[in-house]
Amino acid sequence: MQAPKKEWSIEEHIELFRRQFLQLEDLNRLALPPPDLVKKPDMQRYVYNTMFRDGCLAHAPPSRYKLRVLKKLVEHLEQSVADPDEDEISDDLASCLADLLSQPQLPDSAAVQQKSYVTYSPPTSALDFVAAEPMLAPRSCTVTLLESRALLSSFGTTGLRTWEAALRLGTFLISEGGTSWVKGKNVLELGAGTGFVSILCAKHLGAKFVLATDGSGEVVDSLSENVYLNGLDQGSCIEPAVLKWGHGLVDDVLNDNEEHRVYDVVIGADVTYDQRSIVPLVATLNQFLERNSNTKVLISATIRNEETIASFIAACRKRKMVVHSIEFHNALNLELQLGFFYPTSVPISLLSISAC
C-alpha cells in the first residue's frame, strides 16, 4: 500500500503507519512513511519511541510481527540512504532489530494460533496526531482485542478473529449516518465473535445496552475477556451470552439474561457465509421481529457467494421481512482508509431488515 497522495506532515504519515501496525495489517498493505521524511534522525526517534521502544505500548503486537515490520522499515530506510555519512539508521532502531532477531520465534503454524493484542483505530476524517509523548497514551475510540489470526481456531470456530464485514459495519456505525442506529438503543449482536462491533457500540457509540451473543461457548468466554480488556463493566452496559440460532432459542437466552428488555436493533457481521446457517438465522431474526415489530436488523455480509446471499434475502422475504440495501461508499478504496482497515477485493453489503 502506498502512503496517501496528499500534503501530510510526517506526524500524520507515521500515525497512519502506527494505526496499521497496531491492527497487525498485512505487510504488503502497510503505508510506509516517505523515506525522505522518516530517514531524519528526529523522525526515526519518533517512530522508535511510539512503536518499538519497550513499554511504549500497553498492548503491543507480538514480537514476530514487530520483527517483520521493523525489517521492512529498515530496508525502506536503507534504500533511501544516498550518503552513508549523512544518513544512517538510528542506533535505537538497529538495536531493537538485533534484539528481535535474537529472540526465538514460533513457526508460522503455531504463531497464527496464538492470541495477540490487536488495536483498531477509527477511520477519522483527519488523523488526530499529537506530540510524541502524548502519543504513548491510548487513542480515543480505539478497541483493543485479544484474538487469533488463524482462519480456524484449534477448536474449529472462526470466531476468534475480527473479519472484514465487522470492520465494514464498524466503519458504517461510526460514520455520521450510522451512529443513530445504536445511540441510546438496546442492541443485540448475533455471531459477535471477538466482540469488536459490540464493544465499539458499548464503549464509543452510546448504546444503552449491548447483548453480545455467539453460538460457541468458547468464543463467548474469549469475548468476555475482551469486554474486560476495554474497561467495560460487564452487565451494566454490555453482556456476553451464548445464543444458538434456531426456533425457540431466543426466548431461552433472553429469559435467562434479561429483565424484559426490548431490543431496538439486532446486528450481525459475516453471519450469512454458510448456506446451512441461513434457515436457523432467519428463524431467529423472525423471532426478534415477532417479539417487537419495531426492531430493526442491520447485517453486514461479505459476498463470497452470490447464491448464499440471494438465499438469505429470499428466506427473509419469505418470512414477510422487508430487506433494503444501504448505500455506503466510505472507504471502499483500501488506499484511502484511515482506520478499521480491511481489504476491499471482495464486496461487502449492508442490509437493513424490518418487519413488513
Side-chain angles (χ1 to χ4, degrees):
M1 177 177 176
Q2 299 296 317
K5 297 176 175 63
K6 56 166 282 187
E7 294 301 319
W8 278 7
S9 69
I10 183 58
E11 291 88 354
E12 288 177 300
H13 282 290
I14 292 174
E15 172 63 6
L16 177 62
F17 178 46
R18 184 178 183 274
R19 290 181 181 192
Q20 294 174 326
F21 170 72
L22 291 176
Q23 194 180 307
L24 275 60
E25 270 291 272
D26 186 278
L27 266 63
N28 293 324
R29 297 200 295 264
L30 290 177
L32 294 169
D36 59 324
L37 297 177
V38 78
K39 72 181 181 181
K40 297 177 180 178
D42 58 334
M43 290 299 103
Q44 292 190 51
R45 190 179 312 114
Y46 189 87
V47 170
Y48 172 74
N49 283 331
T50 59
M51 294 174 61
F52 296 104
R53 180 173 59 81
D54 283 346
C56 73
L57 297 169
H59 303 106
S63 60
R64 185 184 187 86
Y65 181 74
K66 288 174 65 177
L67 170 60
R68 290 179 172 180
V69 173
L70 187 52
K71 282 178 68 176
K72 188 176 181 71
L73 177 63
V74 168
E75 290 171 0
H76 181 63
L77 289 169
E78 288 175 340
Q79 292 171 3
S80 70
V81 171
D83 184 352
D85 293 329
E86 294 292 331
D87 305 318
E88 59 181 17
I89 310 300
S90 79
D91 290 342
D92 288 330
L93 289 177
S95 176
C96 182
L97 179 58
D99 288 344
L100 289 169
L101 285 168
S102 69
Q103 296 175 15
Q105 301 291 340
L106 291 171
D108 287 346
S109 58
V112 294
Q113 292 288 347
Q114 295 287 314
K115 283 189 175 182
S116 305
Y117 288 115
V118 186
T119 297
Y120 297 92
S121 302
T124 50
S125 57
L127 295 175
D128 52 348
F129 67 92
V130 288
E133 286 306 313
M135 280 185 74
L136 308 188
R139 290 296 199 282
S140 62
C141 288
T142 59
V143 172
T144 298
L145 306 173
L146 262 176
E147 58 180 78
S148 167
R149 308 304 276 178
L151 297 181
L152 282 175
S153 73
S154 57
F155 48 84
T157 181
T158 59
L160 294 185
R161 64 172 293 170
T162 300
W163 295 89
E164 292 92 333
L167 296 166
R168 178 71 175 156
L169 181 55
T171 301
F172 171 70
L173 290 174
I174 207 167
S175 70
E176 186 177 352
T179 54
S180 60
W181 273 84
V182 297
K183 187 174 183 179
K185 308 288 179 60
N186 289 325
V187 179
L188 184 144
E189 183 177 11
L190 298 172
T194 63
F196 167 75
V197 180
S198 287
I199 291 169
L200 178 68
C201 291
K203 186 177 181 182
H204 300 303
L205 300 183
K208 184 178 180 181
F209 182 82
V210 180
L211 186 66
T213 74
D214 199 277
S216 165
E218 293 90 345
V219 169
V220 170
D221 289 342
S222 180
L223 197 161
S224 298
E225 295 176 11
N226 284 332
V227 168
Y228 177 78
L229 182 62
N230 283 273
L232 295 172
D233 184 8
Q234 186 169 304
S236 64
C237 66
I238 185 170
E239 183 75 29
V242 175
L243 172 58
K244 297 182 183 295
W245 305 336
H247 182 69
L249 296 175
V250 168
D251 288 333
D252 291 341
V253 71
L254 295 189
N255 289 338
D256 287 344
N257 290 273
E258 306 298 299
E259 296 181 357
H260 308 293
R261 182 177 284 116
V262 174
Y263 283 93
D264 307 293
V265 181
V266 175
I267 59 177
D270 220 351
V271 292
T272 59
Y273 65 92
D274 188 349
Q275 182 76 40
R276 296 168 297 179
S277 71
I278 297 300
V279 171
L281 171 59
V282 173
T284 296
L285 294 178
N286 189 61
Q287 281 188 286
F288 282 110
L289 296 178
E290 286 182 340
R291 287 170 65 96
N292 177 20
S293 62
N294 291 320
T295 295
K296 304 298 181 185
V297 178
L298 178 59
I299 300 294
S300 179
T302 303
I303 313 300
R304 300 182 182 90
N305 185 309
E306 292 283 355
E307 292 182 2
T308 302
I309 192 65
S311 296
F312 171 70
I313 293 172
C316 288
R317 289 175 174 162
K318 187 175 180 179
R319 293 272 192 163
K320 308 301 182 184
M321 301 178 196
V322 179
V323 182
H324 292 296
S325 179
I326 296 175
E327 295 296 323
F328 179 63
H329 301 293
N330 291 36
L332 288 179
N333 186 335
L334 176 60
E335 294 195 0
L336 299 180
Q337 292 176 9
L338 300 179
F340 295 170
F341 306 100
Y342 59 91
T344 57
S345 54
V346 179
I348 302 173
S349 290
L350 295 175
L351 301 175
S352 169
I353 303 170
S354 59
C356 184

